[in-house]
Amino acid sequence: MKLYKRENYLKKIRGFYHDADMIKVLTGVRRCGKSSLMQTIIEELKELGIPEGNLIRIDLDSRQYKDIKTPKQLESKIDEYADIHGLKYLFIDEIQNVKGFEEVINAFRGEGDYSIFITGSNSYLLSGELITKLTGRYIEFEMMPLSFEDI
């Protein structure tokens, strides 16, 4: 599948690609392109020479990861990549599928070995729980569906 580069969003996010201290949160309505933007970021990191092994993508809506429902299961899955050397780029799609994910994500952010990107629905990710547990540790990029401005 060919991805359309949403340059307006990429310009805002690029400065945070290698920032391990800030969780990058992509929010927006369903089907607005969050997952595609995440894949575009992965492709750009590959072009910058980041080894594929350091690019970890967990799509919680996919068959492969759909059974991850608890913070412990999520932590165990991420731990499988702990031995990778250098900065690891962690991409988790549809994070709201794991109730209580905030503490896990914040713990990995605190280790400084991960540049973390997450996607999810506006309603859940902007709820009080995320804001309370990640205050000052995340930056939100709200996406809209493709428009003429993107072309």
Side-chain angles (χ1 to χ4, degrees), residues 7-149:
E7 196 59 41
N8 288 335
Y9 294 108
L10 290 168
K11 281 190 286 191
K12 296 174 186 175
I13 299 170
R14 282 187 185 114
F16 297 95
Y17 279 6
H18 312 292
D19 188 341
D21 195 45
M22 192 68 66
I23 298 166
K24 284 66 74 182
V25 181
L26 307 177
T27 62
V29 297
R30 290 183 57 74
R31 312 292 304 159
C32 72
K34 297 180 297 285
S35 300
S36 295
L37 183 66
M38 186 178 276
Q39 187 59 43
T40 302
I41 293 168
I42 292 170
E43 296 303 320
E44 284 195 354
L45 289 169
K46 286 180 191 176
E47 290 170 11
L48 292 172
I50 304 299
E52 270 195 63
N54 288 54
L55 301 168
I56 305 156
R57 181 160 190 206
I58 300 171
D59 179 356
L60 295 171
D61 267 353
S62 72
R63 257 183 21 168
Q64 182 180 3
Y65 300 114
K66 70 176 174 39
D67 292 331
I68 297 175
K69 298 292 183 194
T70 67
K72 193 71 177 153
Q73 291 170 324
L74 180 60
E75 183 176 3
S76 294
K77 177 50 68 181
I78 297 169
D79 275 339
E80 291 177 14
Y81 303 97
D83 292 338
I84 296 171
H85 295 292
L87 185 62
K88 295 171 270 299
Y89 297 81
L90 179 61
F91 297 87
I92 304 177
D93 212 353
E94 301 299 343
I95 192 73
Q96 77 277 356
N97 291 355
V98 176
K99 301 285 184 252
F101 71 87
E102 298 90 351
E103 290 179 358
V104 173
I105 294 301
N106 197 37
F108 280 101
R109 182 209 56 82
E111 290 180 8
D113 292 340
Y114 295 86
S115 178
I116 301 171
F117 299 78
I118 61 176
T119 74
S121 68
N122 279 354
S123 59
Y124 185 81
L125 289 182
L126 298 179
S127 71
E129 211 44 36
L130 180 72
I131 292 169
T132 301
K133 293 191 175 173
L134 300 181
T135 298
R137 299 180 181 109
Y138 76 97
I139 184 165
E140 178 198 355
F141 300 94
E142 185 175 9
M143 292 189 67
M144 299 292 173
L146 195 62
S147 70
F148 288 114
E149 185 179 328

